[in-house]
Amino acid sequence: MIVRVSITVPPARETDSRFVTQQLSRALQKQGCDRAVTDAVPVCEKKSIDARHGSVKLVMRYALYFDETPPKQEDTLPQWKHADGSKKTIIVGSGPAGLFGALTLLEYGIQPVIVERGSQVSDRKRDIAAISTKGFVNEDSNYCFGEGGAGTFSDGKLYTRSNKRGDIPQVLRIFVHFGADPKILTDAHPHIGTDRLPAIIQNMRNFILSSGGQILFDTRCTGFITHKTADGQLVIDGIKTKNTKTEKELEIRTQHVLLATGHSANDIYELLAQAAPLSLEAKTFAVGVRVEHPRKVIDAIQYHGKQDAQSLGAAEYRFTSQQEGRGVYSFCMCPGGFVVPSASEPEQLVVNGMSAAKRNSLWSNAAFVVETRPEDIPQEFIVQAEQKGCPSLAGLLWRTWLEKLTFSHADGQKAPAQLLTDFLSHRESTVLPKTSYAPGLNASRLDQWLPLPITERLHAAFKDADKAMHGFICDQALLIASETRTSTPVRIVRDSSTCECTALKGLYPAGEGSGYAGGIVSSAMDGIKCCHQIAQSLK
C-alpha cells in the first residue's frame, strides 16, 4: 500500500527527522489511516517553498510505502540497445531534443547520427570565454550553438508546466542517471547548474557513442536533399553538410531527419523557406530586457526579511501581467546568477541569464519580456519576408534587426544598460552599479531607442511588479538590453499525431526551434515524442 501525504516544515527543521516523522504521523491520521509511520518507508517526492502571507515554510509531499519496497532508480530507466547501423536516423542538433531523441532511438536499436554545427563542450567553453574577453562571437560555437544546446550554459532549469506533453519524471531520472544531483527529482523548481551540466552532457555523448551512435561536431547542415512524388508531395532524402573547420562537404542519405536546431538557427529557417515555404508559419514570441538586482534585495523581498530562510538559498520570483492587450512577464529567472552575452552572429547583442549549481553569486536576474504577435511586426519586415518568398519570416527578420540595433548602442559586447529608476523617469544613467555581466556595460537610454510598444508596456509592468514585490523598483535595479531569444518567432508546421512536417515528408521538427517546446524538459520530451514516431515508421 502506498499513501501520499503533504506536510509543512519550517526551513530550520527540514533535517529534523523526529519533527518530520511527527508531522507525517499527524498527516496520516487526518487521512484516516491507522497505520504507524514507523511501519512505512517514507520517500520525499516533491519539495517546494511557500513564502506567501509573510512567512516562509517548506511544503513536502511524501509517499509512504507500507508492505512494499520503493522502486529503484535503475528499474525505471528505458532499456537501451546497441545500434548495429541497419537502421539509422539523422538528428540535426545536440540540444535536449536531439540528445533525448537519440536515446529514444537507441531503445529501438536505431542508430542516431547527430550533426552538430558547434563544438564539443570543452572547445565550446573557450569560444564562449572569447565573447567576454575579446568580444568575438563564433557563429557556430557560442552560448546558443554547440554540444548540449543553449541550455548547457544557461542554468539548466528543469521546471516546466508542460505536464501533458510527456513523462517529466522520466526525463529527470535520465538526467540523474548521467550525473545530475538526485535532488532534481524532488525540487519543485529543479535546476542542474551551468557548472555541472557540461559533464552530464559529455556522459550522454559517450553513452550514445558507445551504443553505436555517431556524432559529427563542427558540422553545419547546409541544405535538404529532397524529391517530389507523383502526387506532388515533397519528401526528404537526406541533408547536405559542411565541416566548419575543414570545409569538407558531405551528403548524408536517409528518409528520416529529426530537426532539433534550437530557437536561434536563422539559417535553418532560411533553408526551409527556400525548400518548402509552406512548412513555416509565424507565431507569437517575446522580447524585452534583463533585470538585475543585488541578490540580497530579491532575497529580502521574497523571504520577508526572515533570517531562518537564508538556508533556502537565493530566492526566486515569477511575475505576469497584461498591458494594453499583451502579456508582460518574467522569464528564465536566475537567482544568485549571472547575465551572459548570447549573440550567435557578429554585430548582434543578445543577453541571457544563467546560474551555477549553488546559485551563490551576488546578483539575481530575470528577463522581463513583452508578448509580440505576428500582427505587431512593422510592415517593412513583412515586405522583406514576402520578397524572400516566405511571409512567415517577418518576425525573425524583425528580431534580427532589434539585435543589431542593440549592438549599435553597445560598445562591442559591452551591453547597453540603464538604471530601472532612470528608465521609468526617462533620464540618462550617469553611474551604473556593479554587474554580473562579464563584458561590461555601456550606459544607454533604453527608454529612447527600444521599440515604443515594448518600452511602454515594460514601463507599466515594472510598476505592477513593484506593487507585488515592494522594493523591486530601487536605485540598485539595472536593465540590460536586449533579451530576444525567449522563443522562436517561427513554427515549423507538423502533423499533430505523427509529428512529421506537413510540407516535407520525413522531416520531424522538434524542440525549441520547432516552435512546439520551450525549455530543456519540454524540448527533451518533444525529442522523445518525435523519435517514438520515427521508430514506428521504421518498423
Side-chain angles (χ1 to χ4, degrees):
M1 179 175 70
I2 304 173
V3 180
R4 287 180 167 82
V5 297
S6 293
I7 61 174
T8 57
V9 180
R13 307 199 72 172
E14 179 186 358
T15 58
D16 185 338
S17 59
R18 183 177 178 182
F19 178 80
V20 170
T21 300
Q22 290 174 346
Q23 297 301 104
L24 289 173
S25 181
R26 290 173 184 171
L28 202 58
Q29 290 172 9
K30 286 182 180 180
Q31 290 192 191
C33 181
D34 58 2
R35 300 290 297 270
V37 172
T38 52
D39 293 337
V41 179
V43 176
C44 180
E45 293 185 325
K46 193 64 64 179
K47 180 178 72 174
S48 60
I49 300 170
D50 185 351
R52 298 173 297 172
H53 313 302
S55 64
V56 182
K57 54 184 177 292
L58 294 174
V59 179
M60 306 180 73
R61 189 183 74 205
Y62 277 84
L64 303 176
Y65 288 82
F66 292 95
D67 308 317
E68 292 188 42
T69 302
K72 295 180 180 179
Q73 162 81 10
E74 56 268 26
D75 294 338
T76 61
L77 291 170
Q79 298 300 304
W80 293 301
K81 302 174 183 177
H82 191 279
D84 61 10
S86 59
K87 295 179 181 179
K88 71 178 181 180
T89 292
I90 294 173
I91 297 176
V92 185
S94 68
L99 290 174
F100 278 79
L103 292 172
T104 302
L105 292 175
L106 289 173
E107 293 181 46
Y108 298 90
I110 300 169
Q111 181 186 43
V113 180
I114 300 176
V115 174
E116 169 56 57
R117 69 189 293 169
S119 302
Q120 295 184 17
V121 162
S122 54
D123 294 331
R124 190 179 172 194
K125 286 180 179 178
R126 290 193 290 270
D127 294 330
I128 285 172
I131 301 174
S132 294
T133 59
K134 302 176 183 178
F136 174 74
V137 178
N138 181 331
E139 53 189 298
D140 291 304
S141 182
N142 45 61
Y143 276 98
C144 295
F145 302 138
E147 185 177 18
T152 304
F153 295 96
S154 180
D155 193 80
K157 295 179 187 65
L158 303 179
Y159 175 67
T160 179
R161 291 185 291 276
S162 302
N163 296 307
K164 296 181 181 180
R165 295 188 181 183
D167 189 346
I168 296 173
Q170 182 71 301
V171 171
L172 301 183
R173 286 192 291 267
I174 291 172
F175 270 121
V176 170
H177 176 73
F178 286 106
D181 192 321
K183 72 178 183 180
I184 69 172
L185 301 174
T186 55
D187 285 351
H189 288 180
H191 83 110
I192 294 176
T194 194
D195 52 334
R196 296 182 180 177
L197 254 173
I200 295 167
I201 297 301
Q202 289 180 74
N203 290 340
M204 287 185 174
R205 175 231 299 168
N206 291 335
F207 177 79
I208 291 168
L209 292 174
S210 68
S211 299
Q214 287 184 277
I215 305 179
L216 306 177
F217 288 109
D218 306 306
T219 302
R220 183 193 284 239
C221 173
T222 57
F224 300 104
I225 305 169
T226 64
H227 75 272
K228 276 190 178 181
T229 62
D231 59 0
Q233 172 70 59
L234 194 64
V235 179
I236 199 159
D237 292 317
I239 64 169
K240 298 177 181 179
T241 68
K242 182 177 182 179
N243 187 287
T244 59
K245 293 186 175 179
T246 66
E247 297 191 352
K248 181 180 179 180
E249 296 182 350
L250 182 68
E251 290 187 357
I252 308 176
R253 298 280 174 166
T254 181
Q255 279 71 54
H256 298 84
V257 175
L258 182 76
L259 191 67
T261 47
H263 57 39
S264 295
N266 292 4
D267 58 322
I268 295 296
Y269 297 124
E270 296 272 0
L271 290 175
L272 281 171
Q274 295 168 18
L278 294 180
S279 66
L280 301 177
E281 67 178 8
K283 63 177 278 291
T284 296
F285 60 111
V287 298
V289 296
R290 273 272 150 186
V291 184
E292 182 174 70
H293 290 79
R295 173 185 158 185
K296 62 183 180 181
V297 171
I298 299 301
D299 288 355
I301 293 171
Q302 295 300 89
Y303 293 150
H304 314 291
K306 305 289 185 181
Q307 290 300 313
D308 64 348
Q310 299 307 309
S311 63
L312 299 176
E316 299 181 56
Y317 66 79
R318 180 169 173 261
F319 171 79
T320 61
S321 70
Q322 284 288 319
Q323 306 294 341
E324 298 179 11
R326 296 291 183 270
V328 183
Y329 53 92
S330 62
F331 177 83
C332 185
M333 199 271 152
C334 297
F338 303 87
V339 181
V340 296
S342 294
S344 52
E345 294 181 30
E347 297 188 1
Q348 291 179 347
L349 205 144
V350 181
V351 292
N352 195 4
M354 67 172 225
S355 300
K358 292 184 178 179
R359 289 182 163 173
N360 59 356
S361 90
L362 298 177
W363 297 271
S364 291
N365 70 78
F368 260 65
V369 291
V370 178
E371 177 188 8
T372 304
R373 299 178 184 175
E375 59 264 34
D376 299 331
I377 304 302
Q379 183 63 29
E380 63 181 289
F381 300 100
I382 296 173
V383 172
Q384 290 178 26
E386 289 172 345
Q387 290 172 347
K388 288 178 172 286
C390 185
S392 300
L393 292 177
L396 192 69
L397 296 173
W398 180 79
R399 185 181 76 173
T400 301
W401 166 83
L402 180 57
E403 292 166 356
K404 290 182 177 180
L405 175 66
T406 305
F407 184 82
S408 73
H409 289 276
D411 179 8
Q413 286 297 313
K414 290 184 177 180
Q418 186 177 19
L419 288 172
L420 175 53
T421 50
D422 291 338
F423 177 84
L424 296 174
S425 299
H426 301 287
R427 66 187 178 217
E428 182 180 359
S429 295
T430 55
V431 178
L432 296 176
K434 289 185 178 180
T435 178
S436 67
Y437 184 74
L441 302 174
N442 190 49
S444 179
R445 289 287 303 274
L446 309 188
D447 61 300
Q448 287 187 339
W449 58 264
L450 282 173
L452 192 60
I454 306 299
T455 57
E456 288 183 336
R457 290 184 172 98
L458 285 176
H459 194 283
F462 286 135
K463 291 186 176 181
D464 285 349
D466 192 64
K467 292 175 184 176
M469 299 178 284
H470 186 62
F472 188 88
I473 296 175
C474 64
D475 57 9
Q476 299 176 79
L478 183 65
L479 306 186
I480 306 174
S482 290
E483 176 89 22
T484 57
R485 305 289 180 89
T486 61
S487 67
T488 171
V490 184
R491 178 179 289 112
I492 305 172
V493 185
R494 71 187 191 192
D495 184 274
S496 59
S497 58
T498 66
C499 299
E500 195 171 22
C501 179
T502 55
L504 183 51
K505 186 175 176 60
L507 184 74
Y508 293 79
E512 289 203 22
S514 71
Y516 292 92
I520 291 174
V521 172
S522 63
S523 293
M525 292 191 298
D526 204 45
I528 291 170
K529 178 181 178 180
C530 289
C531 283
H532 278 308
Q533 292 296 325
I534 291 173
Q536 294 304 313
S537 68
L538 280 171
K539 281 186 175 180

